[in-house]
Amino acid sequence: MTLDVTAVDLGDRRQLLDRLEQYYDTVPRSGARVEDFGPLTLFVREGQGWPLYARPTLGRSGTVRAADVTRVRVRQRELGAPESFEWVAETAPGLRQAAEEAGLTVHEHPLMVLGPDAPTPAVPERADGVTVRTVGPDDPLLPSALAVPHLAFAQPDTQVGAAGLAELGEAVQSRAGDGSVERTAARILAGLTRVAAAAEDGWALCAGQHQPVGPVSEIVGVGTLPAARRRGLGHAVTAALVADARSQDVETLFLSAGDEDVARIYARLGFRSVATALIAEPGE
């Protein structure tokens, strides 16, 4: 089944998708090495951080075969990296069949771009008693802002869950000393990462990032502590990221929604579906 992608007036769609492809190829390179597999490029994470993936080689045309996918999967296993592939359905239409023939399961996600005429949202100073703000490199909130999305994505639905402040404290402690806070702080100082969070009593209950590359940025990793869901915190943090991106002269701001329910949250801020992001990985 293919998601129903709604065409929106965001200028030439082909030009927009080409801009996103250039971004997808550029942004991992600041923290990864690149291995060339012909029609596919494998990004290999150097150091700690979110695991990376393979995707279609920028500017290369031609058919991607199941054998090409399998060759990359062998290399990913050698590296101990996730056997993950990410791409945009509309720019690499043949890759889905190749991935499925190679034994991978393909997941669909709405790819959404903020309309240029969408107003910059007002960021509430407090949302449901929680302070919403950007997080600097020396901010004591940064460790929990980096840890909370991991707990959120461990329960990927939008329902209220059991994981709360005790689990968040454990997650922060387990990551202490792994260098992730220091690396993110360095990326903030370099202008490569911007972080926003909803904080209460010194803990980030929800956090997310955007990753600017020139005039383009992607909102990533917005996650709410399961016990703090259904309080509008994801909407508030996303609004803060949008406002920050606009203040940084970002012209094209986009994201991949987890599913249609999550997409509706982003739509309220002016994001519109322009394509379908696909992620292929081994099935359970």
Side-chain angles (χ1 to χ4, degrees):
M1 178 181 178
T2 301
L3 292 172
D4 180 21
V5 175
T6 303
V8 296
D9 185 14
L10 292 169
D12 181 74
R13 189 162 175 256
R14 179 71 259 174
Q15 185 179 46
L16 172 63
L17 293 180
D18 286 346
R19 193 179 313 142
L20 299 189
E21 285 297 314
Q22 182 67 57
Y23 176 92
Y24 281 131
D25 184 74
T26 302
V27 73
R29 294 174 183 265
S30 63
R33 73 174 188 272
V34 178
E35 296 191 8
D36 182 7
F37 287 83
L40 294 169
T41 296
L42 175 60
F43 296 101
V44 182
R45 169 72 63 190
E46 294 187 325
Q48 298 293 319
W50 292 100
L52 292 175
Y53 42 78
R55 61 176 299 104
T57 299
L58 182 66
R60 179 160 181 153
S61 58
T63 302
V64 181
R65 302 167 300 163
D68 298 315
V69 175
T70 298
R71 191 157 62 99
V72 174
R73 291 185 68 188
V74 169
R75 178 58 175 154
Q76 288 170 321
R77 286 194 293 271
E78 291 174 350
L79 294 166
E83 296 174 50
S84 179
F85 296 73
E86 298 187 10
W87 72 100
V88 177
E90 289 75 7
T91 58
L95 181 50
R96 178 171 194 152
Q97 180 177 344
E100 290 175 339
E101 289 178 356
L104 296 174
T105 300
V106 178
H107 306 278
E108 301 179 351
H109 303 276
L111 181 61
M112 309 181 76
V113 172
L114 186 67
D117 297 329
T120 299
V123 180
E125 291 185 5
R126 298 185 70 84
D128 191 25
V130 177
T131 302
V132 181
R133 58 181 173 82
T134 56
V135 180
D138 299 319
D139 196 318
L141 195 64
L142 186 58
S144 61
L146 298 181
V148 71
H150 291 273
L151 292 174
F153 299 144
Q155 184 188 323
D157 57 38
T158 59
Q159 303 301 310
V160 176
L165 289 179
E167 289 77 10
L168 180 57
E170 291 172 1
V172 169
Q173 185 62 37
S174 70
R175 294 165 60 86
D178 69 0
S180 58
V181 173
E182 292 77 11
R183 277 186 294 274
T184 302
R187 288 181 61 85
I188 293 172
L189 287 169
L192 298 172
T193 295
R194 303 285 292 178
V195 180
E200 184 176 58
D201 297 329
W203 294 95
L205 302 185
C206 176
Q209 304 177 16
H210 74 91
Q211 315 277 358
V213 176
V216 182
S217 191
E218 180 182 17
I219 291 178
V220 297
V222 177
T224 301
L225 190 68
R229 287 173 174 165
R230 304 289 179 153
R231 296 170 60 182
L233 302 183
H235 183 278
V237 165
T238 304
L241 292 168
V242 169
D244 183 79
R246 288 268 177 87
S247 75
Q248 301 293 313
D249 297 323
V250 169
E251 299 172 4
T252 303
L253 184 62
F254 73 102
L255 54 83
S256 296
D259 55 33
E260 293 291 353
D261 288 337
V262 176
R264 281 189 280 273
I265 296 173
Y266 295 129
R268 294 201 294 269
L269 289 167
F271 285 88
R272 296 293 178 264
S273 294
V274 297
T276 304
L278 299 181
I279 297 176
E281 55 194 5
E284 296 181 359

